[in-house]
Amino acid sequence: MRWNVLLPLVCALASCNKKEAPSIAIATCPTCVVADGRGFTPNKITLPKADGTTKLTFTRTSNETCANEVVVPALNINVPLPLGKPVDIAIPTDKAQTFTFQCGMGMYKSSIVVQ
Ligand SMILES: [Cu+2]
């Protein structure tokens, strides 16, 4: 699987906590999201409430997906995800709320929970 190869690089670029095994890197990188043929992974992100915004880093690791952009309707965010290039988006975390994020067609509905 291509994401197994790309994820350590992705997390290094995104200053995420890097562990040896890619499967562990996913679990220990709570603000990194991978877009591939399965949609967004993880598809539920929980962020602690904090002043200002929290950065999420999205990386598309496959061409075989329609998740080539990430859309957060409530925030008017609609950003392209170039293959293999981490893209940061800022999520307001100053109050507890839930945001939906999805691909451009509204499939792969996923959520960001600020609590
Ligand atoms: Cu789609």
Side-chain angles (χ1 to χ4, degrees):
M1 287 187 168
R2 256 170 287 176
W3 61 268
N4 274 340
V5 178
L6 284 172
L7 196 70
L9 171 66
V10 167
C11 279
L13 291 171
S15 306
C16 293
N17 189 3
K18 191 169 48 166
K19 294 271 164 109
E20 294 307 311
S23 58
I24 294 174
I26 295 173
T28 56
C29 185
T31 60
C32 282
V33 181
V34 169
D36 63 15
R38 299 171 305 167
F40 296 106
T41 305
N43 65 8
K44 181 179 178 186
I45 299 150
T46 302
L47 299 176
K49 207 171 109 178
D51 285 343
T53 60
T54 297
K55 185 183 76 175
L56 293 182
T57 303
F58 286 76
T59 307
R60 180 164 65 88
T61 61
S62 173
N63 276 324
E64 292 160 21
T65 177
C66 79
N68 49 20
E69 59 192 332
V70 57
V71 177
V72 188
L75 299 174
N76 285 321
I77 289 172
N78 185 335
V79 292
L81 296 176
L83 184 65
K85 288 205 177 130
V87 173
D88 293 339
I89 67 172
I91 301 299
T93 45
D94 52 333
K95 65 176 181 177
Q97 59 189 318
T98 298
F99 299 103
T100 296
F101 69 97
Q102 60 199 37
C103 67
M105 295 164 54
M107 301 151 50
Y108 300 144
K109 277 204 198 307
S110 308
S111 59
I112 302 160
V113 179
V114 181
Q115 63 183 19

XYZ file of all heavy atoms in Angstrom:
853
model
N 0.845 -1.202 0.000
C 0.000 0.000 0.000
C 0.874 1.245 0.000
O 1.826 1.327 0.748
C -0.863 0.028 1.255
C -1.998 -0.963 1.241
S -2.990 -0.633 2.692
C -4.411 -1.600 2.322
N 0.544 2.176 -0.842
C 1.404 3.336 -0.988
C 1.475 4.182 0.280
O 2.502 4.739 0.595
C 0.914 4.202 -2.152
C 1.791 4.026 -3.373
C 1.171 4.692 -4.561
N 0.032 3.941 -5.030
C -0.752 4.339 -6.016
N -0.532 5.475 -6.606
N -1.759 3.617 -6.399
N 0.384 4.285 0.995
C 0.421 5.153 2.181
C 1.362 4.631 3.247
O 1.894 5.394 4.036
C -0.979 5.402 2.728
C -1.707 4.181 3.166
C -2.555 3.414 2.434
C -1.659 3.569 4.456
N -3.010 2.366 3.177
C -2.494 2.436 4.410
C -0.974 3.876 5.647
C -2.661 1.601 5.510
C -1.157 3.036 6.738
C -1.989 1.915 6.656
N 1.592 3.325 3.242
C 2.552 2.788 4.198
C 3.942 3.347 3.950
O 4.737 3.509 4.853
C 2.609 1.254 4.090
C 1.550 0.603 4.946
O 1.042 1.223 5.874
N 1.212 -0.622 4.634
N 4.234 3.614 2.686
C 5.530 4.156 2.321
C 5.571 5.657 2.584
O 6.563 6.189 3.078
C 5.809 3.864 0.829
C 7.136 4.472 0.410
C 5.792 2.357 0.579
N 4.502 6.324 2.268
C 4.496 7.791 2.311
C 4.296 8.360 3.702
O 4.784 9.437 3.999
C 3.386 8.337 1.408
C 3.688 8.274 -0.087
C 2.446 8.656 -0.874
C 4.832 9.204 -0.443
N 3.620 7.655 4.529
C 3.220 8.265 5.802
C 4.376 8.731 6.674
O 4.317 9.835 7.211
C 2.298 7.329 6.582
C 1.563 8.062 7.698
C 0.523 9.014 7.117
C 0.908 7.098 8.648
N 5.450 7.946 6.799
C 6.560 8.448 7.641
C 7.105 9.757 7.104
O 7.389 10.687 7.865
C 7.593 7.321 7.553
C 6.793 6.103 7.227
C 5.677 6.593 6.334
N 7.239 9.877 5.785
C 7.696 11.120 5.175
C 6.718 12.247 5.466
O 7.090 13.344 5.861
C 7.834 10.922 3.661
C 8.101 12.189 2.859
C 9.464 12.761 3.205
C 8.001 11.887 1.363
N 5.456 11.947 5.283
C 4.410 12.934 5.530
C 4.491 13.443 6.955
O 4.469 14.639 7.205
C 3.024 12.290 5.276
C 1.921 13.161 5.827
C 2.839 12.044 3.784
N 4.615 12.544 7.877
C 4.629 12.953 9.277
C 5.919 13.697 9.618
O 5.895 14.604 10.434
C 4.429 11.753 10.187
S 2.691 11.320 10.310
N 7.017 13.362 8.945
C 8.257 14.104 9.177
C 8.081 15.537 8.717
O 8.443 16.484 9.411
C 9.412 13.432 8.441
N 7.486 15.721 7.549
C 7.272 17.063 7.006
C 6.304 17.856 7.871
O 6.394 19.060 7.985
C 6.723 16.976 5.576
C 7.710 16.450 4.535
C 6.989 16.214 3.216
C 8.870 17.416 4.348
N 5.379 17.189 8.458
C 4.352 17.868 9.234
C 4.732 17.980 10.707
O 3.927 18.371 11.526
C 3.036 17.108 9.093
N 5.958 17.648 11.024
C 6.430 17.707 12.402
C 5.581 16.880 13.346
O 5.366 17.250 14.488
C 6.479 19.154 12.919
O 7.225 19.936 12.046
N 5.071 15.793 12.846
C 4.267 14.938 13.704
C 5.186 14.022 14.506
O 6.340 13.827 14.158
C 3.320 14.096 12.874
S 2.084 15.094 12.059
N 4.641 13.485 15.531
C 5.371 12.513 16.332
C 5.635 11.273 15.492
O 4.717 10.623 15.037
C 4.527 12.151 17.566
C 5.313 11.319 18.539
O 6.499 11.055 18.335
N 4.662 10.898 19.599
N 6.879 10.974 15.269
C 7.232 9.910 14.340
C 7.640 8.658 15.110
O 8.479 8.707 15.989
C 8.370 10.390 13.452
C 8.651 9.493 12.285
C 9.606 10.162 11.298
C 10.803 10.760 11.964
N 11.865 11.114 11.021
N 7.037 7.540 14.778
C 7.426 6.262 15.359
C 7.906 5.349 14.253
O 7.755 5.646 13.071
C 6.226 5.643 16.094
C 5.789 6.440 17.325
C 6.540 5.994 18.564
C 6.413 6.989 19.681
N 5.674 6.717 20.785
N 8.445 4.234 14.611
C 9.046 3.348 13.614
C 8.025 2.786 12.632
O 8.194 2.880 11.448
C 9.764 2.196 14.325
C 10.968 2.652 15.132
C 11.949 3.480 14.315
O 12.324 3.072 13.202
O 12.318 4.561 14.795
N 6.967 2.208 13.147
C 6.013 1.549 12.259
C 4.981 2.548 11.750
O 4.434 3.324 12.527
C 5.312 0.419 13.009
N 4.691 2.533 10.443
C 3.695 3.455 9.895
C 2.344 3.335 10.583
O 1.667 4.328 10.803
C 3.588 3.029 8.427
C 4.904 2.388 8.133
C 5.355 1.749 9.412
N 1.947 2.109 10.954
C 0.636 1.952 11.577
C 0.592 2.671 12.928
O -0.431 3.191 13.319
C 0.303 0.475 11.754
O 1.310 -0.138 12.538
N 1.741 2.732 13.606
C 1.796 3.468 14.868
C 1.804 4.973 14.597
O 1.186 5.734 15.301
C 3.040 3.050 15.684
C 2.899 1.586 16.105
C 3.206 3.938 16.922
C 4.131 1.026 16.784
N 2.463 5.379 13.525
C 2.524 6.802 13.196
C 1.131 7.382 13.011
O 0.868 8.500 13.391
C 3.355 7.019 11.938
N 0.222 6.610 12.436
C -1.144 7.092 12.269
C -1.758 7.379 13.634
O -2.275 8.453 13.878
C -2.020 6.044 11.527
C -1.497 5.862 10.100
C -3.479 6.484 11.497
C -2.173 4.733 9.349
N -1.605 6.425 14.537
C -2.256 6.547 15.831
C -1.646 7.657 16.680
O -2.333 8.239 17.497
C -2.164 5.218 16.585
N -0.346 7.943 16.465
C 0.302 8.927 17.321
C 0.393 10.298 16.654
O 1.106 11.159 17.088
C 1.718 8.463 17.699
O 2.442 8.214 16.495
C 1.667 7.225 18.564
N -0.305 10.460 15.573
C -0.256 11.717 14.848
C -1.674 12.265 14.741
O -2.302 12.181 13.693
C 0.348 11.459 13.475
S 0.583 12.951 12.541
N -2.210 12.771 15.838
C -3.649 13.064 15.885
C -4.103 14.205 14.982
O -5.293 14.352 14.748
C -3.902 13.405 17.353
C -2.574 13.790 17.892
C -1.536 13.029 17.103
N -3.175 14.983 14.455
C -3.603 16.075 13.579
C -3.242 15.831 12.119
O -3.346 16.728 11.296
C -3.011 17.426 14.042
O -1.588 17.338 14.016
C -3.499 17.793 15.427
N -2.790 14.605 11.805
C -2.499 14.248 10.409
C -3.647 13.422 9.850
O -4.098 12.478 10.481
C -1.210 13.437 10.315
S 0.266 14.435 10.438
N -4.099 13.777 8.651
C -5.172 13.046 7.991
C -4.680 12.609 6.612
O -4.102 13.409 5.880
C -6.435 13.918 7.838
C -7.559 13.122 7.172
C -6.886 14.460 9.189
N -4.915 11.344 6.303
C -4.533 10.811 4.997
C -5.783 10.690 4.137
O -6.827 10.243 4.600
C -3.848 9.431 5.157
C -3.680 8.749 3.808
C -2.498 9.597 5.844
N -5.679 11.120 2.881
C -6.764 10.951 1.914
C -6.326 9.918 0.891
O -5.299 10.096 0.231
C -7.078 12.282 1.237
N -7.073 8.836 0.799
C -6.758 7.810 -0.197
C -8.064 7.166 -0.650
O -9.144 7.719 -0.438
C -5.758 6.789 0.366
C -6.288 6.010 1.551
O -7.521 6.030 1.792
O -5.491 5.372 2.255
N -7.946 6.021 -1.274
C -9.128 5.381 -1.837
C -10.197 5.006 -0.823
O -11.334 4.744 -1.189
N -9.833 5.020 0.434
C -10.830 4.718 1.482
C -11.453 5.989 2.045
O -12.199 5.944 3.015
C -10.167 3.928 2.615
C -9.593 2.586 2.165
C -8.773 1.953 3.270
N -7.741 2.874 3.731
C -7.025 2.706 4.840
N -7.250 1.668 5.604
N -6.100 3.567 5.173
N -11.076 7.125 1.483
C -11.578 8.386 2.017
C -10.539 8.995 2.928
O -9.344 8.920 2.658
N -11.014 9.605 4.011
C -10.098 10.246 4.952
C -9.847 9.330 6.142
O -10.766 8.743 6.703
C -10.686 11.571 5.451
C -10.860 12.596 4.364
C -12.122 12.881 3.872
C -9.769 13.269 3.834
C -12.294 13.822 2.871
C -9.930 14.206 2.828
C -11.195 14.494 2.346
N -8.594 9.228 6.530
C -8.218 8.430 7.697
C -7.367 9.283 8.624
O -6.326 9.789 8.187
C -7.423 7.178 7.287
O -8.194 6.443 6.324
C -7.143 6.318 8.498
N -7.724 9.491 9.869
C -8.976 9.018 10.467
C -10.155 9.827 9.946
O -9.966 10.929 9.439
C -8.761 9.271 11.963
C -7.812 10.423 12.018
C -6.912 10.272 10.826
N -11.348 9.286 10.094
C -12.515 10.043 9.640
C -13.231 10.726 10.804
O -14.271 11.338 10.619
C -13.464 9.176 8.817
C -14.087 8.067 9.618
O -13.936 8.003 10.844
N -14.778 7.186 8.949
N -12.636 10.607 11.983
C -13.114 11.418 13.117
C -11.889 11.897 13.882
O -11.066 11.097 14.308
C -14.038 10.612 14.025
C -14.556 11.452 15.184
C -15.495 10.682 16.089
C -15.937 11.557 17.248
N -16.741 10.792 18.224
N -11.775 13.200 14.009
C -10.629 13.790 14.686
C -11.153 14.569 15.873
O -12.067 15.384 15.737
C -9.879 14.742 13.743
C -9.364 13.975 12.527
C -8.733 15.444 14.453
C -9.282 14.822 11.306
N -10.586 14.303 17.016
C -10.983 15.038 18.210
C -9.870 16.009 18.584
O -8.702 15.619 18.671
C -11.251 14.063 19.369
O -12.269 13.152 18.970
C -11.713 14.818 20.610
N -10.226 17.276 18.738
C -9.252 18.294 19.112
C -9.631 18.877 20.464
O -10.806 19.166 20.701
C -9.226 19.418 18.073
C -8.838 19.034 16.643
C -8.966 20.233 15.722
C -7.433 18.460 16.601
N -8.657 19.059 21.324
C -8.977 19.700 22.605
C -9.299 21.177 22.397
O -8.686 21.843 21.553
C -7.697 19.522 23.419
C -6.625 19.221 22.433
C -7.262 18.661 21.207
N -10.265 21.643 23.151
C -10.612 23.051 23.101
C -9.403 23.885 23.537
O -8.741 23.565 24.530
C -11.806 23.295 24.034
C -12.658 24.463 23.642
C -13.925 24.478 24.476
C -13.780 25.622 25.407
N -14.791 25.972 26.314
N -9.107 24.929 22.760
C -7.953 25.774 23.070
C -8.148 27.111 22.376
O -8.891 27.211 21.401
C -6.660 25.118 22.590
N -7.474 28.129 22.871
C -7.578 29.437 22.232
C -7.081 29.364 20.789
O -6.131 28.652 20.496
C -6.736 30.472 22.988
C -7.407 30.891 24.290
O -8.622 30.630 24.434
O -6.717 31.451 25.154
N -7.718 30.114 19.929
C -7.227 30.225 18.558
C -7.610 29.050 17.690
O -8.743 28.576 17.744
N -6.649 28.592 16.894
C -6.922 27.532 15.945
C -5.930 26.391 16.138
O -4.873 26.562 16.734
C -6.793 28.030 14.485
O -5.461 28.496 14.276
C -7.770 29.153 14.184
N -6.312 25.232 15.625
C -5.418 24.082 15.608
C -5.222 23.661 14.164
O -6.171 23.616 13.390
C -6.012 22.927 16.439
O -6.124 23.345 17.794
C -5.121 21.685 16.374
N -3.983 23.370 13.822
C -3.638 23.013 12.453
C -3.837 21.520 12.225
O -3.356 20.700 12.994
C -2.170 23.377 12.217
C -1.693 23.186 10.805
C -0.214 23.511 10.689
C 0.622 22.375 11.266
N 2.080 22.601 11.054
N -4.577 21.200 11.169
C -4.655 19.814 10.716
C -3.869 19.708 9.413
O -3.878 20.625 8.599
C -6.106 19.397 10.455
C -7.030 19.297 11.654
C -8.411 18.831 11.194
C -6.476 18.350 12.701
N -3.177 18.606 9.227
C -2.368 18.404 8.028
C -2.946 17.258 7.216
O -2.991 16.120 7.683
C -0.911 18.105 8.411
O -0.419 19.171 9.217
C -0.040 17.975 7.161
N -3.399 17.598 6.019
C -3.996 16.604 5.121
C -2.994 16.232 4.042
O -2.353 17.110 3.457
C -5.253 17.182 4.444
C -6.437 17.287 5.353
C -6.527 18.287 6.306
C -7.471 16.372 5.247
C -7.620 18.378 7.156
C -8.576 16.452 6.084
C -8.651 17.456 7.038
N -2.883 14.937 3.764
C -2.022 14.500 2.674
C -2.746 13.445 1.851
O -3.209 12.438 2.384
C -0.704 13.904 3.206
O -0.095 14.841 4.087
C 0.247 13.603 2.047
N -2.833 13.701 0.573
C -3.421 12.699 -0.322
C -2.312 11.763 -0.782
O -1.269 12.207 -1.253
C -4.081 13.373 -1.527
C -4.716 12.380 -2.485
C -5.682 13.068 -3.424
N -5.038 14.013 -4.312
C -4.516 13.693 -5.496
N -4.543 12.444 -5.918
N -3.963 14.628 -6.256
N -2.539 10.469 -0.619
C -1.493 9.493 -0.913
C -1.862 8.579 -2.073
O -1.152 7.614 -2.342
C -1.204 8.627 0.331
O -2.397 7.939 0.686
C -0.714 9.468 1.489
N -2.958 8.853 -2.753
C -3.365 7.986 -3.860
C -4.048 8.816 -4.934
O -4.708 9.812 -4.638
C -4.337 6.918 -3.349
O -4.868 6.175 -4.430
N -3.870 8.386 -6.175
C -4.635 8.997 -7.265
C -5.987 8.324 -7.431
O -6.858 8.840 -8.122
C -3.855 8.901 -8.586
C -2.851 10.037 -8.716
O -3.113 11.155 -8.294
N -1.713 9.736 -9.301
N -6.129 7.163 -6.775
C -7.364 6.416 -6.934
C -8.345 6.807 -5.841
O -8.754 6.012 -5.016
C -7.066 4.914 -6.910
C -6.290 4.484 -8.139
C -5.574 3.165 -7.942
O -5.968 2.403 -7.046
O -4.615 2.910 -8.686
N -8.661 8.071 -5.811
C -9.598 8.588 -4.824
C -10.197 9.858 -5.377
O -9.570 10.546 -6.179
C -8.891 8.885 -3.486
O -9.853 9.448 -2.576
C -7.745 9.872 -3.661
N -11.418 10.175 -4.982
C -11.933 11.475 -5.380
C -11.692 12.491 -4.264
O -12.114 13.635 -4.366
C -13.399 11.404 -5.781
S -14.535 11.348 -4.438
N -10.980 12.072 -3.223
C -10.642 13.011 -2.151
C -9.416 13.822 -2.552
O -8.406 13.841 -1.870
C -10.410 12.268 -0.841
N -9.514 14.506 -3.686
C -8.392 15.326 -4.122
C -8.553 16.778 -3.690
O -7.843 17.668 -4.132
C -8.134 15.201 -5.628
C -9.401 15.381 -6.421
O -10.362 15.955 -5.910
N -9.418 14.905 -7.633
N -9.517 16.991 -2.825
C -9.619 18.270 -2.133
C -10.291 17.990 -0.790
O -10.929 16.958 -0.610
C -10.419 19.291 -2.940
C -11.822 18.850 -3.249
C -12.495 19.737 -4.293
O -12.151 20.913 -4.402
O -13.376 19.231 -4.999
N -10.107 18.920 0.121
C -10.803 18.782 1.405
C -11.697 20.004 1.564
O -11.292 21.138 1.319
C -9.827 18.606 2.595
C -8.833 19.747 2.710
C -10.612 18.442 3.899
N -12.935 19.720 1.943
C -13.945 20.753 2.069
C -14.481 20.749 3.499
O -14.836 19.693 4.021
C -15.107 20.504 1.076
C -16.211 21.537 1.251
C -14.591 20.499 -0.360
N -14.482 21.923 4.113
C -15.125 22.091 5.416
C -16.199 23.156 5.218
O -15.920 24.356 5.272
C -14.133 22.528 6.515
C -14.810 22.499 7.890
C -12.880 21.655 6.513
N -17.432 22.728 4.925
C -18.465 23.690 4.536
C -18.672 24.806 5.556
O -18.791 25.977 5.171
C -19.722 22.820 4.389
C -19.210 21.443 4.128
C -17.919 21.341 4.900
N -18.686 24.478 6.831
C -18.994 25.485 7.845
C -17.930 26.571 7.925
O -18.194 27.667 8.435
C -19.162 24.817 9.210
N -16.747 26.286 7.427
C -15.648 27.253 7.494
C -15.305 27.833 6.121
O -14.330 28.568 5.977
C -14.391 26.582 8.090
C -14.551 26.035 9.512
C -13.305 25.264 9.928
C -14.829 27.164 10.495
N -16.107 27.491 5.112
C -15.817 27.915 3.738
C -14.413 27.512 3.304
O -13.745 28.242 2.572
C -15.998 29.426 3.579
C -17.475 29.796 3.538
O -18.276 29.081 2.930
N -17.832 30.884 4.194
N -13.977 26.364 3.774
C -12.666 25.848 3.369
C -12.879 24.859 2.232
O -13.741 23.977 2.327
C -11.953 25.155 4.555
C -11.499 26.197 5.577
C -10.763 24.323 4.075
C -10.952 25.597 6.856
N -12.124 25.055 1.161
C -12.163 24.156 0.014
C -10.780 24.205 -0.612
O -10.478 25.094 -1.393
C -13.241 24.622 -0.968
C -13.401 23.649 -2.118
O -12.479 22.911 -2.460
N -14.565 23.646 -2.725
N -9.913 23.290 -0.209
C -8.523 23.367 -0.661
C -8.123 22.097 -1.401
O -8.467 20.993 -0.990
C -7.553 23.629 0.519
C -7.750 25.009 1.090
C -7.686 22.581 1.589
N -7.402 22.252 -2.509
C -6.914 21.104 -3.244
C -5.878 20.322 -2.449
O -5.141 20.911 -1.641
C -6.270 21.705 -4.498
C -6.472 23.159 -4.441
C -6.989 23.531 -3.090
N -5.847 19.027 -2.661
C -4.835 18.178 -2.022
C -3.954 17.592 -3.119
O -4.262 16.551 -3.693
C -5.509 17.048 -1.232
C -6.384 17.452 -0.052
C -7.055 16.226 0.563
C -5.570 18.196 0.999
N -2.835 18.250 -3.430
C -1.927 17.693 -4.430
C -1.346 16.378 -3.923
O -1.091 16.242 -2.722
C -0.821 18.748 -4.562
C -1.248 19.919 -3.742
C -2.318 19.461 -2.803
N -1.152 15.441 -4.814
C -0.661 14.125 -4.411
C 0.659 14.245 -3.655
O 1.616 14.846 -4.142
C -0.475 13.250 -5.652
C -0.041 11.802 -5.380
C -1.132 11.045 -4.632
C 0.288 11.105 -6.687
N 0.675 13.703 -2.444
C 1.915 13.615 -1.676
C 2.380 14.893 -1.017
O 3.432 14.908 -0.386
N 1.613 15.972 -1.147
C 2.035 17.236 -0.533
C 1.143 17.559 0.662
O -0.056 17.758 0.502
C 1.931 18.385 -1.547
C 2.981 18.326 -2.613
C 3.231 19.721 -3.187
C 4.343 19.676 -4.218
N 3.999 20.324 -5.477
N 1.716 17.654 1.853
C 0.903 17.979 3.027
C 0.297 19.369 2.900
O 0.970 20.307 2.482
C 1.906 17.937 4.179
C 3.088 17.181 3.666
C 3.130 17.430 2.192
N -0.974 19.469 3.237
C -1.696 20.735 3.176
C -2.275 21.000 4.561
O -2.957 20.146 5.121
C -2.831 20.679 2.131
C -3.689 21.932 2.188
C -2.256 20.474 0.726
N -1.991 22.179 5.091
C -2.488 22.516 6.417
C -3.791 23.293 6.322
O -3.921 24.173 5.478
C -1.469 23.395 7.161
C -0.196 22.636 7.486
O -0.241 21.398 7.517
O 0.830 23.301 7.700
N -4.716 22.976 7.209
C -5.878 23.834 7.363
C -6.020 24.155 8.852
O -5.636 23.367 9.711
C -7.186 23.225 6.793
C -7.636 22.003 7.576
C -7.034 22.884 5.318
C -9.010 21.525 7.134
N -6.546 25.337 9.121
C -6.677 25.794 10.511
C -8.123 25.638 10.961
O -9.044 26.124 10.307
C -6.241 27.254 10.615
N -8.293 24.956 12.055
C -9.627 24.716 12.611
C -9.776 25.538 13.884
O -8.940 25.431 14.798
C -9.806 23.221 12.945
C -9.621 22.355 11.690
C -11.166 22.965 13.592
C -10.603 22.628 10.580
N -10.813 26.375 13.954
C -11.008 27.123 15.202
C -11.359 26.184 16.350
O -12.251 25.347 16.222
C -12.170 28.068 14.881
C -12.774 27.595 13.621
C -11.815 26.673 12.936
N -10.618 26.315 17.443
C -10.837 25.406 18.567
C -11.233 26.163 19.833
O -11.113 25.648 20.931
C -9.558 24.567 18.834
O -8.416 25.428 18.802
C -9.383 23.498 17.787
N -11.697 27.404 19.630
C -12.009 28.218 20.802
C -13.333 27.864 21.451
O -13.625 28.298 22.556
C -11.961 29.711 20.439
C -12.807 30.036 19.230
O -13.015 29.136 18.388
O -13.275 31.173 19.129
N -14.164 27.064 20.772
C -15.364 26.574 21.451
C -15.693 25.154 21.013
O -15.304 24.732 19.919
C -16.552 27.512 21.224
C -17.013 27.609 19.797
C -18.261 28.500 19.735
C -18.773 28.588 18.305
N -19.992 29.358 18.165
N -16.389 24.461 21.873
C -16.730 23.071 21.588
C -17.770 23.019 20.479
O -18.842 23.634 20.583
C -17.267 22.401 22.853
N -17.450 22.340 19.408
C -18.370 22.174 18.297
C -17.849 21.079 17.382
O -16.717 20.635 17.516
C -18.554 23.484 17.525
C -17.263 24.059 16.956
C -17.467 25.463 16.388
O -18.458 25.732 15.728
N -16.528 26.351 16.673
N -18.685 20.674 16.440
C -18.285 19.630 15.500
C -18.354 20.171 14.083
O -19.335 20.815 13.703
C -19.218 18.404 15.632
O -19.094 17.876 16.958
C -18.832 17.314 14.636
N -17.303 19.956 13.328
C -17.255 20.342 11.923
C -17.285 19.086 11.062
O -16.679 18.073 11.409
C -15.969 21.109 11.598
C -15.812 22.396 12.355
C -14.947 22.463 13.441
C -16.518 23.526 11.988
C -14.789 23.642 14.148
C -16.364 24.715 12.685
C -15.502 24.775 13.771
N -17.963 19.181 9.930
C -17.917 18.116 8.946
C -16.854 18.454 7.914
O -16.751 19.606 7.496
C -19.283 17.969 8.242
O -20.241 17.581 9.211
C -19.237 16.914 7.143
N -16.046 17.478 7.548
C -15.184 17.671 6.387
C -15.380 16.520 5.427
O -15.791 15.433 5.813
C -13.709 17.873 6.766
C -13.010 16.670 7.340
C -12.234 15.854 6.525
C -13.097 16.364 8.682
C -11.548 14.747 7.048
C -12.430 15.262 9.216
C -11.668 14.461 8.398
N -15.119 16.782 4.158
C -15.496 15.824 3.117
C -14.721 16.115 1.843
O -14.010 17.114 1.752
C -17.005 15.948 2.848
C -17.385 17.345 2.383
C -18.863 17.659 2.553
O -19.506 17.248 3.516
N -19.398 18.403 1.605
N -14.878 15.239 0.866
C -14.296 15.503 -0.447
C -15.189 16.503 -1.180
O -16.251 16.886 -0.698
C -14.168 14.202 -1.242
S -15.753 13.476 -1.701
N -14.755 16.902 -2.366
C -15.483 17.928 -3.104
C -16.898 17.540 -3.483
O -17.747 18.401 -3.713
N -17.164 16.239 -3.576
C -18.488 15.790 -3.981
C -19.388 15.503 -2.788
O -20.536 15.106 -2.966
C -18.367 14.507 -4.806
C -17.653 14.694 -6.124
S -17.149 13.097 -6.800
C -18.715 12.245 -6.801
N -18.860 15.680 -1.602
C -19.668 15.435 -0.413
C -19.714 13.974 -0.001
O -20.504 13.596 0.863
N -18.877 13.149 -0.618
C -18.734 11.783 -0.134
C -17.704 11.836 0.999
O -17.199 12.885 1.334
C -18.202 10.879 -1.253
C -19.079 10.826 -2.471
S -18.107 10.519 -3.967
C -17.119 9.118 -3.486
N -17.401 10.687 1.538
C -16.362 10.604 2.573
C -16.617 11.615 3.684
O -15.719 12.327 4.123
C -14.969 10.854 1.980
C -14.541 9.900 0.915
C -13.785 10.348 -0.153
C -14.862 8.556 0.977
C -13.360 9.481 -1.141
C -14.448 7.680 -0.008
C -13.691 8.151 -1.069
O -13.271 7.302 -2.039
N -17.848 11.724 4.131
C -18.149 12.660 5.213
C -17.409 12.233 6.479
O -17.476 11.079 6.881
C -19.645 12.715 5.460
C -20.368 13.647 4.510
C -21.670 14.130 5.120
C -22.632 14.698 4.082
N -22.059 15.723 3.252
N -16.726 13.182 7.080
C -15.911 12.908 8.248
C -16.108 14.044 9.223
O -16.694 15.068 8.876
C -14.433 12.794 7.839
O -14.287 11.870 6.769
N -15.619 13.887 10.437
C -15.891 14.939 11.410
C -14.688 15.325 12.240
O -13.781 14.524 12.483
C -17.064 14.532 12.323
O -16.766 13.336 12.986
N -14.710 16.587 12.629
C -13.726 17.146 13.550
C -14.505 17.593 14.780
O -15.396 18.435 14.672
C -13.019 18.371 12.933
C -12.332 18.000 11.617
C -12.019 18.964 13.927
C -12.040 19.203 10.736
N -14.192 16.993 15.887
C -14.915 17.307 17.116
C -13.994 18.117 18.029
O -12.923 17.662 18.395
C -15.374 16.012 17.837
C -16.097 16.356 19.139
C -16.236 15.173 16.920
N -14.428 19.337 18.345
C -13.687 20.160 19.300
C -14.384 20.018 20.630
O -15.586 20.269 20.750
C -13.664 21.645 18.854
C -12.864 22.481 19.848
C -13.083 21.779 17.453
N -13.645 19.592 21.628
C -14.289 19.371 22.934
C -13.340 19.717 24.075
O -12.156 19.866 23.884
C -14.766 17.936 23.061
C -13.648 16.919 23.012
C -14.152 15.477 23.078
O -15.311 15.209 22.825
N -13.275 14.568 23.423
Cu -16.047 12.225 -3.496
